[in-house]
Amino acid sequence: MSKKITITSIKKSKGASPLVMITAYDALFAKLMESSCDMILVGDSLNMSFAGKSDTLSATLEQMIYHTNAVAMGAKNSFIICDMPFGTYTSPDEALKNSIRVFQETPADALKIEGGEDKAHIIKHLCSNGIAVCGHIGLLPQAVRSEGGYKVKGKSQEEREQLIRDAKAVESAGAFCMVIEGVKAEVAAEVARGVNIPVIGIGAGRDVDGQVLVFSDMLGFFEEFTPKFVKKYIDGASLVKSALKSYSDEVKSKEFPQDIHTY
Ligand code: KIV
């Protein structure tokens, strides 16, 4: 996208055109994403994808600030959302203090926080103090330890009703959009129909208002495991490995560098 999308156009896109969101953690990739994505999420998934940890919980506010600045350097025309890491929004005042730090120390356009009805009072406090908030409901990666794993939501009637309450609470609290993760497609569709702000899915089927994927998953860099909801648009790991093998072979055989690479 050549022109930076605004909160107003994000809200207006509901029912008109699906939103494209992707994660990024550095300037190099963010620059490549800028022309095809509406929003870049500096997800706390960087703790896994970038830092190699087994979950997102040890990501710190300092790391999120550092990576948000890196992404912003690469994607100056993109709408950038910084994920608030685990433990930084346990109370309204703590959340506001940490959010103000992100807004003052980075050019992030908005922040994302995980939680539904239980976090509505925090979202409301942030929104009423000038912080734009993207909600995140359904499967919450920051709850992986307390829930004992990543569990798809919306399988029971109770979960379905809770998701609808969560979405409505996030909307009423003032969020401009929300991510819905790991939810049965028909329930995610019902959630999206039930609110007036865009609901952006990840592992939540196609009948929502947009999609988000972790960039290293969709570019095929993560080899260990492919979640069902991920489509690998290229086999990045094989491409990179094969390029590195060619480089290594050519260095050993002295085929590289040639005259054109030499001063
Ligand atoms: O941290 C992240 O990358 C996310 C996406 C999975 C939505 O929250």
Side-chain angles (χ1 to χ4, degrees):
M1 316 290 150
S2 51
K3 199 161 166 270
K4 183 165 167 171
I5 197 168
T6 61
I7 296 243
T8 310
S9 47
I10 290 170
K11 284 183 176 165
K12 273 196 192 148
S13 74
K14 174 106 186 165
S17 171
L19 290 162
V20 184
M21 188 192 282
I22 189 145
T23 69
Y25 317 125
D26 64 64
L28 193 66
F29 271 100
K31 191 165 187 177
L32 299 177
M33 290 156 184
E34 190 154 58
S35 58
S36 36
C37 300
D38 296 305
M39 288 182 268
I40 297 183
L41 170 66
V42 187
D44 60 355
S45 53
L46 65 80
N47 208 43
M48 302 165 80
S49 185
F50 182 86
K53 303 279 173 56
S54 58
D55 61 33
T56 61
L57 276 73
S58 55
T60 63
L61 195 62
E62 281 66 31
Q63 284 170 327
M64 299 313 300
I65 289 172
Y66 175 85
H67 286 276
T68 301
N69 277 316
V71 166
M73 286 303 289
K76 296 199 168 67
N77 288 322
S78 291
F79 189 96
I80 296 171
I81 303 177
C82 171
D83 227 354
M84 291 303 280
F86 179 69
T88 59
Y89 50 96
T90 52
S91 71
D93 286 342
E94 186 71 7
L96 184 59
K97 190 178 94 204
N98 288 325
S99 302
I100 288 173
R101 250 199 87 188
V102 176
F103 263 36
Q104 288 186 332
E105 295 178 31
T106 80
D109 297 285
L111 306 181
K112 177 166 83 56
I113 73 171
E114 293 186 11
E117 237 183 344
D118 59 327
K119 292 290 182 303
H121 63 301
I122 290 175
I123 297 175
K124 193 169 183 193
H125 192 52
L126 298 185
C127 293
S128 61
N129 281 284
I131 309 285
V133 178
C134 168
H136 184 152
I137 65 168
L139 185 159
L140 305 180
Q142 291 177 11
V144 63
R145 296 189 199 171
S146 61
E147 293 204 345
Y150 298 104
K151 309 236 165 76
V152 172
K153 297 286 157 79
K155 289 184 170 172
S156 65
Q157 182 61 14
E158 196 186 341
E159 281 183 0
R160 179 183 150 269
E161 286 168 9
Q162 183 61 54
L163 281 163
I164 292 167
R165 280 198 301 275
D166 285 340
K168 287 188 188 298
V170 167
E171 177 183 33
S172 307
F176 68 96
C177 74
M178 74 187 85
V179 166
I180 187 165
E181 177 165 0
V183 168
K184 297 286 286 177
E186 62 275 16
V187 178
E190 191 181 349
V191 166
R193 281 195 303 273
V195 291
N196 293 312
I197 56 173
V199 175
I200 299 167
I202 173 163
R206 72 170 79 88
D207 293 325
V208 286
D209 307 306
Q211 298 291 330
V212 53
L213 281 177
V214 170
F215 90 97
S216 44
D217 288 343
M218 59 85 68
L219 295 181
F221 290 124
F222 183 65
E223 289 182 290
E224 282 73 22
F225 162 72
T226 308
K228 182 177 165 65
F229 61 84
V230 170
K231 177 172 177 181
K232 285 188 178 181
Y233 285 82
I234 56 167
D235 186 355
S238 299
L239 290 172
V240 168
K241 281 185 183 171
S242 136
L244 291 169
K245 174 81 173 60
S246 302
Y247 168 60
S248 169
D249 290 348
E250 291 187 11
V251 169
K252 287 187 200 301
S253 67
K254 292 203 151 214
E255 202 182 321
F256 174 82
Q258 296 177 356
D259 289 348
I260 48 160
H261 310 117
T262 305
Y263 294 109

